[in-house]
Amino acid sequence: MIDRRFFSTFLGLGASSAAVSLAGPQGLQTASAATRGAPAPAPVAAAAASTEHPVTSGAHPAFPPLKQIRAGLLNVGYAELGPAHGPAVICLHGWPYDIHSYVDVAPLLAGEGYRVIVPFLRGHGTTRFLSGRTVRNGQQSVFALDVIALMDALKIERAVLAGFDWGSRTADIVAALWPERCKALVSVSGYLVINREANLKPLAPAVERAWWYQYYFATERGRRAMEDKALRHDLTRLVWDTVSPTWDFDDATFERTAAAFDNPDYAAVVVHNYRWRLGLAEGEHRYDGLEKRLATRPVITVPTITLDPERDPFTAPGDGASYRDRFTGAYEHRTLPGIGHNVPQEAPASFAQAVVDADRF
């Protein structure tokens, strides 16, 4: 069984582009694989006025001034909203994105009384390695360790973890290996923990096509492209356009995030991440024990809501069935019609509602 994402074909994903309002979970479960059957909790504040695919032209929402903190191997840059003593939610971005994927989600959650932490992952934005000697490692386990170190530095014992893309994988790993630190989980695209041996099995050509950049990064041409600011800019913009086909974002929205890619370690971390997945680059031996545990596909026992964006080319077929057995606690699956890969920025109301609902399990 392939232990990476099971992908639908890049084309022919379904034509629905209907907006989903934050009117509570009933409106979200258009194609739910599993529900708890409990009464629906109240939607988050101001839900009725919220819409998905928010218009991004004109005024753009912004985070308050960012913060920095030494945590583990990093000096982490992060946004923080909400009351300092509220229950913590940590929102984790993916590639090629940054903390602004949560610029609309974070205020919704802060309004519900949550302390919302949105960190730049290693190699992104204002996050920096503390030492020039540290390996610019992109293997999956190190991102989870970065989150644990950040929680320790911020004196957060437990948090709701929510993410998409790299952020989903990172949140999944923390929930699987350190469940005592994870109060609840929201994971876009389900269970994304990588088994590198299983990951070597080829997929159907139409499915592999969606991963073109992964194979590009396996080459020296791809590495050089990531190191070249202009080529990196155009490459990442192309990814945005293709994996979020219904999201009508403007240039300013992309440029705000693209600034995070100017981090001096960005190319090294990204290239190592994708080469490591394909067995083309080694990880660090000190993380071998964690990777061996992850290779067993450990189950996640914490309360979880998984989200499948309908128009994302990486959404698994089967409405969550391919990973359902990896979640053994309270669980719900939701499909988001008309939404692409960058779920929190394309569907902030639905994402925020999932966080609130998972925390109430």
Side-chain angles (χ1 to χ4, degrees), residues 239-310:
V239 173
W240 274 45
D241 289 336
T242 55
V243 303
S244 295
T246 60
W247 183 29
D248 187 23
F249 61 90
D250 61 14
D251 290 342
T253 297
F254 175 76
E255 297 300 338
R256 180 178 58 182
T257 286
F261 309 158
D262 293 338
N263 184 299
D265 301 307
Y266 183 77
V269 169
V270 171
V271 169
H272 184 261
N273 176 281
Y274 286 104
R275 290 184 178 184
W276 178 86
R277 296 190 200 187
L278 295 176
L280 301 175
E282 291 302 315
E284 293 181 79
H285 290 307
R286 58 177 167 164
Y287 305 122
D288 285 352
L290 293 176
E291 296 296 347
K292 288 179 180 177
R293 291 174 64 188
L294 293 173
T296 67
R297 303 181 74 240
V299 297
I300 292 173
T301 61
V302 305
T304 298
I305 291 177
T306 55
L307 300 175
D308 270 357
E310 180 195 39

Side-chain angles (χ1 to χ4, degrees), residues 310-332:
E310 180 195 39
R311 298 303 303 276
D312 181 358
F314 304 121
T315 293
D319 198 24
S322 62
Y323 51 73
R324 177 63 184 92
D325 66 338
R326 296 298 89 196
F327 300 96
T328 61
Y331 177 81
E332 189 172 302

Side-chain angles (χ1 to χ4, degrees), residues 28-199:
L28 299 176
Q29 293 166 208
T30 304
S32 177
T35 62
R36 294 181 295 132
V44 302
S50 299
T51 59
E52 307 299 24
H53 286 314
V55 176
T56 54
S57 59
H60 289 73
F63 283 120
L66 302 184
K67 300 181 179 183
Q68 297 287 143
I69 191 168
R70 291 169 66 100
L73 300 175
L74 305 172
N75 187 313
V76 178
Y78 66 100
E80 180 171 356
L81 286 81
H85 299 292
V89 176
I90 299 177
C91 297
L92 301 169
H93 68 80
W95 183 89
Y97 305 97
D98 82 329
I99 63 173
H100 290 96
S101 289
Y102 295 98
V103 74
D104 295 303
V105 168
L108 290 173
L109 294 175
E112 290 295 299
Y114 288 100
R115 180 188 182 189
V116 186
I117 307 295
V118 191
F120 285 110
L121 299 184
R122 57 169 55 199
H124 294 71
T126 62
T127 292
R128 297 289 190 275
F129 288 90
L130 295 175
S131 171
R133 296 186 299 272
T134 303
V135 177
R136 273 41 179 175
N137 188 339
Q139 72 185 99
Q140 62 180 351
S141 58
V142 299
F143 291 97
L145 289 170
D146 291 345
V147 171
I148 295 295
L150 177 62
M151 292 176 68
D152 289 345
L154 293 174
K155 296 181 170 54
I156 296 173
E157 186 61 31
R158 298 176 73 218
V160 178
L161 300 181
F164 76 105
D165 196 84
W166 289 17
S168 285
R169 180 172 299 107
T170 301
D172 290 351
I173 292 171
V174 174
L177 299 186
W178 298 280
E180 70 279 3
R181 306 301 298 270
C182 183
K183 184 181 180 185
L185 173 68
V186 174
S187 183
V188 174
S189 303
Y191 189 89
L192 298 186
V193 178
I194 294 170
N195 177 320
R196 284 210 303 170
E197 182 177 349
N199 206 38

